[in-house]
Amino acid sequence: MTRWCHMILLLLACLPALVSCDKQEEINRAYTDYRYDIVTYLGRNDRGAVFEYLGRDDSIAVKLQSQTNVNEDIKTNHRVLLRYNFVDLVPADSRDIEVYSCNSIFSDSLRQTQAAPDSLPRHAVKLRSLWRTGEFINLFCQLEYTNKARTLMLVADGKTLENDTVDCYLVHDLRGEQGTFWRDCYASFNVGALWKRSYFKCLRIHVNDVTYPNTLFYDFNK
């Protein structure tokens, strides 16, 4: 009899905890179900902010329509890092999305120089990923933090522009500042003017990388 009383008391003690678990609020989807993509901000319409998403290589462009607007300091046709999720799961060339965050990144077009590659400022980076989406070369890396403005560009060697393989260099200049800790950085460079040339076959990007120091360049073949 004593044993059964103990069991009943134990069940009664657990009951509030079980009820409490049932009443827990659901976790916000913004923290569990989302995508991170580098996309192009196209501006606003009567519904909200509009973006263009390109998958890897030569995927078809997808229009992303949100119900909210972005910060006014984000410029139209610039690349941004978007944290979002699709409202529905049906693939299409235009989709409604819910935006959780939208942040500016280094957004630029491919530049060119006649200067010798050895003279270009190429402070080291920690490369995480380098990939192409359509006419964009995208970069995820870590840079040394300085709290000051810096230069980050993708520059083509003008002496190779007429070749089927064009040499490009990731230019990184701390402008005399001393770097401290490493910090994540995203960048995207439009290389469409070069990519569209009929004779062009390969974009060769040289990176001063401390993560893979023996890999001096990466080729993107057309």
Side-chain angles (χ1 to χ4, degrees):
M1 184 67 179
T2 302
R3 180 182 177 186
W4 283 108
C5 289
H6 286 169
M7 292 181 66
I8 293 172
L9 290 174
L10 181 61
L11 288 172
L12 290 174
C14 292
L15 184 60
L18 294 174
V19 173
S20 176
C21 290
D22 289 339
K23 292 183 178 180
Q24 284 184 353
E25 296 182 0
E26 293 185 2
I27 298 176
N28 192 321
R29 291 179 69 242
Y31 301 106
T32 58
D33 302 322
Y34 60 85
R35 296 171 58 100
Y36 260 128
D37 286 312
I38 294 177
V39 300
T40 303
Y41 172 56
L42 299 181
R44 304 176 182 178
N45 59 18
D46 57 352
R47 294 180 59 194
V50 183
F51 307 88
E52 183 183 67
Y53 165 79
L54 291 168
R56 284 184 178 265
D57 300 325
D58 298 306
S59 300
I60 297 175
V62 178
K63 176 184 174 182
L64 305 178
Q65 174 69 62
S66 76
Q67 301 296 324
T68 58
N69 289 320
V70 300
N71 296 332
E72 293 184 357
D73 60 341
I74 297 179
K75 298 179 181 179
T76 301
N77 294 324
H78 279 219
R79 303 282 276 169
V80 296
L81 181 64
L82 190 68
R83 189 165 73 90
Y84 69 102
N85 204 358
F86 297 114
V87 173
D88 58 66
L89 300 178
V90 181
D93 58 4
S94 181
R95 301 186 67 174
D96 289 339
I97 62 171
E98 184 175 0
V99 173
Y100 303 132
S101 66
C102 179
N103 297 295
S104 297
I105 63 174
F106 281 96
S107 180
D108 198 10
S109 294
L110 178 67
R111 301 168 185 249
Q112 60 175 293
T113 182
Q114 295 297 324
D118 290 343
S119 69
L120 299 174
R122 298 176 58 210
H123 194 79
V125 305
K126 284 186 177 180
L127 185 63
R128 293 292 181 261
S129 184
L130 189 66
W131 72 102
R132 181 177 70 85
T133 54
E135 297 180 353
F136 295 94
I137 295 294
N138 307 295
L139 169 71
F140 172 37
C141 67
Q142 288 188 324
L143 308 179
E144 290 180 280
Y145 180 73
T146 65
N147 198 31
K148 299 289 184 178
R150 71 182 67 216
T151 298
L152 187 67
M153 301 184 299
L154 187 62
V155 177
D157 181 356
K159 299 180 180 63
T160 68
L161 283 177
E162 302 303 321
N163 301 340
D164 59 5
T165 297
V166 177
D167 288 292
C168 300
Y169 296 83
L170 183 65
V171 170
H172 180 212
D173 188 0
L174 297 185
R175 302 182 186 177
E177 297 295 325
Q178 182 65 42
T180 53
F181 60 91
W182 293 92
R183 187 173 183 177
D184 286 350
C185 172
Y186 292 87
S188 187
F189 307 98
N190 190 316
V191 299
L194 176 63
W195 200 264
K196 294 173 183 176
R197 297 186 180 186
S198 59
Y199 63 85
F200 172 80
K201 293 183 179 179
C202 176
L203 183 69
R204 177 164 292 172
I205 300 180
H206 300 257
V207 181
N208 181 15
D209 175 31
V210 298
T211 306
Y212 305 102
N214 295 325
T215 303
L216 302 181
F217 58 82
Y218 296 85
D219 285 346
F220 292 88
N221 297 308
K222 188 174 179 180

